Amino acid sequence: SATAACARALQAAYEADKGRKAKGRSRYGTCDPVKLARRLAQEGAAFAPSQRCWLTFVLDEAHELRNPFSFWAMAAALMGQHARRVVLATGTPYNNREGDLATLSSFIEPGAAASAPAFWREARDALEGSGTMKEEHRSWLALHLLMRDKSVLATALPPKSVSEEAVLPSGPERQLYSPVEEVLIKSLRNLVTVMKRKASGKAAAARKRRDLMRLQKRCMGLAQEARMVLIHPALGGKGREVTKLFAPSRAARPSDLKAAKAVCVCCNPSFGGMGAGAEDEADEAGDGDALDDEEEEDDDDDDDLDGFIVRDGDGEDSDDSDEGEEAEAEEEQEEAEEEDGLAAEPAPRVAAVDGGAPVGSGRPRSPPDACSCGKCTNDFPAQNLVQLPRTACGAAEPHWVHACCAAQVLASPAYPACPRCRLQRRMLKVSAGGGESDGEDGANGEDGATGEDGGTGEDGGGPEGTLICSEVADANGVPFGGLRLSTKLIALRRQLAAVPSAEKSIVYSNFKGGLDLVEAMLSEDGVRCCRFDGDDPPAERSEQLATFKSRPEIRVLLLCLSAGSVGLNIAEACHGFFLDVWWNPFVHRQCEDRMHRIGQTRPVAISYL
């Protein structure tokens, strides 16, 4: 239990961190975890040792606490105040930044120096040679950190081998990927420029923080997009809208693509350049904290928020006004220059429709700021939209276009008239051999490289046997014409075929769309599989895992990194294949250890594509 004052302060900090509305007006800002830890320490100091109901409070998978302002992290912190000792267990304490370690430290010793990110930045700088490791760092680690590896096990585990296979993209695949990479690199350079920019005054510093957050989100989204395109070109541009139709276990589920009702598919068929990254495609293992967006009606004193929220413009005074206006004008100019690259979308995704540029041609370009009538803008969400009729669009829920674009779209005699549906159909055929279904560019990639199983089959441009699921149709029952496997999927297919029939395998990916395509490929090959990802609630995921373990005929488990990297024991499998990788290599090791653990009797083989 917490005092009323502490509870109000925690809720205020949570709302500020999430950008919620408080007391009828928006309070967008950042929260200070150090001050939060101190507030919790003050709360705990009110309890005498005899009032603490637990000797030890243990938190497993403690890396999930790295956001101190989530509901369950705050609850865990309060529970820790009722124990004489707090023990955190995790295999990945350092996920993204030094703040992760500071947050974990605040649960062990709230208010201490180690609960501040600066404490860990100094430790990092010492390791990189730019600082001196202070004795307090060593003493804190010696007192609080206990590390264990597999060498402590009484029984030695079977050997584990890790290999990497470099898969060369075909020419058409590289043509689609290169513009995405170009935009990503430009965005990263913009991010570095902003990081180096000097901010004189609190107003300029606040703007710099906002720019960094915006650019970091943009770079993350572009990097996700690039990684998806390397799995298969159809995954880019929120392609899971169509890839899930090829996965037997997901095809009947309704589409929940939020962008579909907010974008004109005539002006922007790939849903690109609207500020949203590819994070919608990344798997989420569980539901996040939920809080209604209703405005707070209470009249609590603003003091409840003091110390936790750093508001935009805090500390600005009249002396900085001229400087702020000048800096703001400069910022707007820089922002306009940056947006030329930041909002850019690869040409294949925007222009690869009838009447536009061919696939793989030209440089990246953004969707137009406004459509031809000059009244409708493409700002997200777009305005003045009308829904296409069912006869013109093959999506489960027909897409939307600007009212002035509808006549142009519906004038097309071909099916589907919807530009996004036509673009998706073309992306499904771009892969290891030909550029599209007509076999453009042949089977050879750039620089003489060839895709796996090189050669051109009779199914229309591409290696023989790489066109699968030709019976899959859209919402109107019109077949897509099949899905052509990418070079990476062909490499995975070959490796899975080499696994002995008595042994089980796990295929890892961070993207549910990638697992959709693997499931489609396995279904085509007659290989039974189970899935473990965030599409299913925890109970169904557990049922899928139990089925995989107990039934010998089910040889493959498709597993999302975020949903299955921790807390699972899958010693029944001994082969692991990574379709893509995450930023933190320790996440991969955690995934590998789902198989390489107590109970494993076979050698474990891991392959990264």
Side-chain angles (χ1 to χ4, degrees):
S1 62
T3 62
C6 180
R8 286 196 301 269
L10 293 181
Q11 181 174 351
Y14 172 87
E15 291 177 349
D17 182 66
K18 297 296 183 291
R20 305 291 183 179
K21 290 183 177 180
K23 296 188 64 178
R25 58 185 183 276
S26 297
R27 295 178 179 272
Y28 296 98
T30 58
C31 299
D32 189 346
V34 178
K35 293 182 179 179
L36 177 62
R38 290 174 183 168
R39 182 66 182 85
L40 293 170
Q42 293 172 3
E43 185 77 4
F47 297 104
S50 60
Q51 294 177 298
R52 300 179 187 270
C53 52
W54 297 301
L55 292 176
T56 304
F57 180 51
V58 182
L59 282 157
D60 196 14
E61 310 299 352
H63 54 272
E64 297 292 349
L65 295 170
R66 60 184 178 270
N67 177 13
F69 299 105
S70 64
F71 272 171
W72 91 282
M74 290 182 177
L78 287 173
M79 292 178 72
Q81 302 307 312
H82 291 264
R84 300 184 187 182
R85 174 191 299 164
V86 176
V87 176
L88 308 180
T90 175
T92 51
Y94 194 162
N95 275 271
N96 299 317
R97 57 183 65 86
E98 303 86 359
D100 296 345
L101 295 169
T103 300
L104 296 183
S105 303
S106 69
F107 286 92
I108 301 171
E109 196 176 9
S115 63
F119 180 92
W120 298 100
R121 280 196 292 269
E122 292 176 7
R124 179 204 61 193
D125 292 342
L127 292 175
E128 295 176 352
S130 58
T132 303
M133 174 64 83
K134 296 182 178 179
E135 185 59 33
E136 58 182 310
H137 292 126
R138 295 193 186 94
S139 62
W140 193 93
L141 293 174
L143 180 64
H144 293 92
L145 182 64
L146 176 64
M147 297 184 67
R148 184 194 71 163
D149 57 29
K150 291 186 174 68
S151 63
V152 304
L153 298 178
T155 303
L157 292 176
K160 179 179 75 171
S161 61
V162 180
S163 62
E164 296 182 1
E165 178 176 345
V167 182
L168 286 177
S170 65
E173 290 174 329
R174 190 171 302 189
Q175 284 180 318
L176 286 172
Y177 172 73
S178 295
V180 183
E181 183 183 61
E182 182 180 343
V183 177
L184 172 59
I185 291 174
K186 184 174 182 179
S187 298
L188 289 170
R189 287 172 177 163
N190 290 337
L191 177 61
V192 172
T193 300
V194 174
M195 291 173 66
K196 293 180 178 179
R197 190 175 66 202
K198 295 182 178 179
S200 56
K202 293 185 178 181
R207 283 192 295 274
K208 180 178 179 179
R209 286 195 300 269
R210 288 197 299 270
D211 287 347
L212 286 174
M213 291 295 293
R214 176 177 59 84
L215 287 165
Q216 286 170 352
K217 183 177 180 180
R218 170 66 68 180
C219 290
M220 176 70 79
L222 289 170
Q224 298 282 71
E225 179 86 2
R227 292 163 62 221
M228 286 190 290
V229 171
L230 286 177
I231 296 175
H232 194 287
L235 291 179
K238 304 194 182 298
R240 197 174 185 232
E241 181 184 23
V242 66
T243 61
K244 68 189 306 181
L245 299 177
F246 288 83
S249 67
R250 301 295 188 262
R253 302 191 181 190
S255 176
D256 57 353
L257 185 60
K258 299 175 183 178
K261 297 181 180 180
V263 177
C264 171
V265 297
C266 180
C267 297
N268 190 2
S270 67
F271 292 170
M274 60 187 181
E279 55 269 18
D280 289 340
E281 299 291 342
D283 179 70
E284 293 295 338
D287 294 330
D289 295 324
L291 185 69
D292 292 339
D293 289 328
E294 298 176 358
E295 297 179 357
E296 294 296 317
E297 299 295 341
D298 58 9
D299 294 324
D300 289 340
D301 196 327
D302 273 347
D303 290 342
D304 291 341
L305 300 173
D306 288 344
F308 294 100
I309 304 173
V310 182
R311 301 180 182 86
D312 292 342
D314 263 6
E316 297 181 31
D317 51 37
S318 58
D319 292 339
D320 291 335
S321 58
D322 293 339
E323 175 191 6
E325 292 176 2
E326 184 177 335
E328 188 168 350
E330 183 179 336
E331 289 284 345
E332 291 176 356
Q333 182 177 356
E334 292 179 2
E335 209 168 286
E337 294 173 356
E338 291 168 2
E339 287 299 329
D340 289 341
L342 294 173
E345 182 72 12
R349 305 229 164 269
V350 177
V353 293
D354 291 352
V359 169
S361 68
R363 293 175 56 82
R365 72 174 178 86
S366 303
D369 294 330
C371 60
S372 57
C373 71
K375 299 178 181 178
C376 305
T377 65
N378 272 321
D379 294 333
F380 186 80
Q383 304 296 319
N384 195 23
L385 295 178
V386 295
Q387 193 170 22
L388 290 173
R390 166 62 60 197
T391 55
C393 181
E397 285 215 13
H399 297 123
W400 296 69
V401 295
H402 289 131
C404 60
C405 297
Q408 174 187 346
V409 171
L410 297 177
S412 173
Y415 177 86
C418 171
R420 176 167 173 82
C421 291
R422 285 153 65 182
L423 174 62
Q424 289 176 325
R425 285 173 175 264
R426 296 180 72 171
M427 291 300 103
L428 289 171
K429 309 293 174 51
V430 178
S431 62
E436 300 176 40
S437 58
D438 58 1
E440 290 181 30
D441 301 330
N444 290 337
E446 295 178 2
D447 303 325
T450 60
E452 292 286 339
D453 302 333
T456 303
E458 297 178 357
D459 50 16
E464 185 176 359
T466 64
L467 188 68
I468 65 172
C469 303
S470 57
E471 75 286 354
V472 176
D474 63 15
N476 290 329
V478 180
F480 286 102
L483 164 73
R484 198 177 301 284
L485 297 180
S486 64
T487 50
K488 185 173 279 192
L489 291 176
I490 293 172
L492 176 64
R493 186 189 221 180
R494 173 177 47 76
Q495 291 196 4
L496 285 171
V499 175
S501 59
E503 298 177 358
K504 292 177 178 279
S505 304
I506 301 177
V507 177
Y508 299 94
S509 177
N510 191 61
F511 305 108
K512 289 179 284 188
L515 296 182
D516 290 339
L517 300 185
V518 176
E519 182 182 350
M521 180 181 70
L522 294 176
S523 177
E524 183 83 4
D525 295 341
V527 179
R528 301 186 64 182
C529 66
C530 289
R531 285 187 66 161
F532 192 100
D533 60 40
D535 275 351
D536 296 324
E540 292 186 22
R541 292 203 297 264
S542 299
E543 184 179 344
Q544 287 281 307
L545 185 59
T547 301
F548 171 74
K549 291 181 176 183
S550 60
R551 297 177 60 176
E553 69 274 18
I554 298 180
R555 299 175 50 206
V556 180
L557 176 67
L558 307 181
L559 190 147
C560 260
L561 295 181
S562 55
S565 60
V566 295
L568 300 179
N569 187 339
I570 321 179
E572 290 78 6
C574 58
H575 296 269
F577 303 95
F578 285 82
L579 203 56
D580 51 87
V581 295
W582 191 236
W583 322 107
N584 188 347
F586 288 98
V587 172
H588 309 145
R589 295 187 190 178
Q590 288 272 47
C591 289
E592 295 171 7
D593 288 345
R594 300 311 97 203
M595 298 179 289
H596 194 239
R597 60 194 301 112
I598 296 174
Q600 181 59 262
T601 59
R602 295 186 176 98
V604 173
I606 305 295
S607 177
Y608 287 85
L609 297 176

